[in-house]
Amino acid sequence: MIVHYYCRHCTADIGTIDSSSLTEEQLGIQTLSENEKQEMVSYGANGDIRIQTICENCQEALEENPDLHQYDYLIH
Ligand SMILES: [Zn+2]
């Protein structure tokens, strides 16, 4: 099972891990609420997992411009 992490804001590919030895608990998926899971986690047809997160660049940008958070909220 391959897990792809990508940025939800700029869609940058953050990283890919082969999680064949990991469980969803270890990936932190279990700590997400159902809503967060639906929003952040998707499963590919081949069993891959795609997790939306945020990259360092966007994290910094959001910290410098908190208004962007509102914008992000609005477009959802
Ligand atoms: Zn980003």
Side-chain angles (χ1 to χ4, degrees):
M1 181 171 71
I2 305 295
V3 181
H4 302 280
Y5 288 89
Y6 63 100
C7 178
R8 63 189 297 170
H9 296 286
C10 66
T11 69
D13 190 353
I14 295 170
T16 301
I17 57 171
D18 182 345
S19 67
S20 52
S21 60
L22 295 176
T23 65
E24 288 197 351
E25 282 88 349
Q26 287 170 308
L27 294 170
I29 292 176
Q30 293 295 328
T31 65
L32 299 171
S33 70
E34 281 301 315
N35 281 345
E36 285 173 327
K37 258 198 216 178
Q38 285 182 1
E39 201 172 288
M40 297 172 61
V41 184
S42 58
Y43 296 88
N46 56 359
D48 287 0
I49 297 178
R50 292 164 58 84
I51 298 181
Q52 291 183 41
T53 179
I54 184 167
C55 71
E56 282 182 19
N57 287 341
C58 291
Q59 180 71 48
E60 278 177 23
L62 287 171
E63 282 172 3
E64 287 169 15
N65 302 286
D67 286 350
L68 289 177
H69 269 303
Q70 296 174 12
Y71 180 70
D72 181 53
Y73 178 75
L74 285 174
I75 60 177
H76 281 87

